[in-house]
Amino acid sequence: MSISNVRELPVGVFDSGVGGLTVVREIMRQMPNERIVYFGDTARVPYGSKSKETITRFSEQIMRFLLSQNVKAIVVACNTASAYALPTLEQECPVPIIGVMKPGARTATEKTRNGRIGVIGTNATVSSGIYTSYIKELMPEAEVLGRACPLFVPLVEEGLWEDPVTDEIARRYLTELMDEGIDTLILGCTHYPLIRKTIARTVGESVELVNPAYETALELKHMLGDLDLLAKEHPSLASTAFM
């Protein structure tokens, strides 16, 4: 297949549910010529309470499906899968593949003023310590404080984005991080930008929120550009979703 034909192939994106659509939205904003095949694993959400082996197996299955759709690149739009499965996927995937954690970590180190960075995510994402490792590589003096927020994903999946229950859960989860004096907070799950307003109200204006979805779309754009794989013309079909 010629490089011009490869350029017009879609980008594959997957997540454990609807959260990865925040990444898709940013990709479409920054690269409107790209077609997207999105796989949201709503049948097996959430991933955050599952084992590394299970998450890796699910991710390999989805990767094979996306490859069957002739994608030219894959975005693992799930922090939990990026933490546990991405190293395996990188070894197995015949097309370029990226996750969401490195872009988020890099942006957090650029934005923090006092070096105290908070990370919220699923149990699996926070316990993996991957965000801490990435941040420490870039800023060894940084202090990273993690907080698992397992109820956020089901609240988002249920559509309770603006609800008193979500406000109360956010206060319970985030008060401890605020008491620790963080000035930057990574939304370490692609579901969380959907309740960004709630989180922002809870932590206040003094805390900078980092949305890895935006940063991941930028990294994808740079990667496709470096590989000369950016779509050149607007396709007739904007996107395809499998949920």
Side-chain angles (χ1 to χ4, degrees):
M1 184 180 296
S2 68
I3 188 66
S4 60
N5 290 333
V6 174
R7 290 191 195 108
E8 301 313 315
L9 294 177
V11 173
V13 182
F14 79 86
D15 190 18
S16 60
V18 301
L21 293 174
T22 60
V23 178
V24 170
R25 179 176 58 191
E26 294 299 337
I27 293 173
M28 294 177 72
R29 283 177 177 171
Q30 298 179 44
M31 291 167 282
N33 291 341
E34 297 295 340
R35 290 192 299 139
I36 299 169
V37 177
Y38 180 75
F39 189 102
D41 194 2
T42 53
R44 300 183 292 197
V45 67
Y47 279 14
S49 58
K50 296 177 172 62
S51 69
K52 178 179 180 179
E53 292 73 22
T54 297
I55 293 164
T56 300
R57 184 173 74 253
F58 289 173
S59 299
E60 288 175 313
Q61 292 170 352
I62 297 169
M63 179 188 70
R64 287 193 290 269
F65 169 78
L66 291 174
L67 291 172
S68 75
Q69 302 300 304
N70 295 318
V71 297
K72 63 182 176 184
I74 293 176
V75 178
V76 183
C78 173
N79 283 264
T80 302
S82 293
Y84 281 166
L86 186 58
T88 298
L89 300 183
E90 288 175 332
Q91 294 178 0
E92 299 176 355
C93 190
V95 300
I97 185 169
I98 62 171
V100 292
M101 300 184 79
K102 285 185 178 180
R106 182 176 62 251
T107 301
T109 62
E110 294 169 353
K111 290 182 176 296
T112 185
R113 304 175 301 279
N114 66 7
R116 299 175 70 82
I117 299 171
V119 178
I120 54 174
T122 65
N123 289 321
T125 295
V126 173
S127 64
S128 74
I130 301 297
Y131 265 119
T132 299
S133 298
Y134 288 153
I135 291 170
K136 289 286 191 179
E137 288 177 7
L138 299 168
M139 181 183 282
E141 71 276 17
E143 185 173 358
V144 185
L145 302 111
R147 180 68 163 92
C149 303
L151 291 178
F152 278 168
V153 170
L155 287 170
V156 169
E157 291 284 332
E158 289 295 326
L160 300 175
W161 301 358
E162 292 284 344
D163 189 276
V165 172
T166 307
D167 288 336
E168 176 59 25
I169 294 299
R171 283 193 291 272
R172 294 190 182 193
Y173 282 153
L174 301 175
T175 297
E176 182 179 341
L177 287 177
M178 296 304 299
D179 291 343
E180 294 289 342
I182 64 167
D183 74 345
T184 306
L185 180 64
I186 298 175
L187 306 183
C189 174
T190 47
H191 285 73
Y192 296 178
L194 295 170
I195 53 171
R196 182 189 181 104
K197 291 181 180 179
T198 298
I199 295 171
R201 283 197 303 269
T202 304
V203 300
E205 295 180 357
S206 63
V207 177
E208 185 83 30
L209 299 185
V210 175
N211 177 9
Y214 173 80
E215 307 302 335
T216 300
L218 276 181
E219 181 158 315
L220 175 67
K221 184 176 183 179
H222 293 152
M223 182 184 73
L224 294 179
D226 291 342
L227 296 172
D228 195 22
L229 291 178
L230 284 170
K232 300 300 182 182
E233 297 179 359
H234 200 291
S236 58
L237 181 62
S239 62
T240 303
F242 298 88
M243 307 281 287

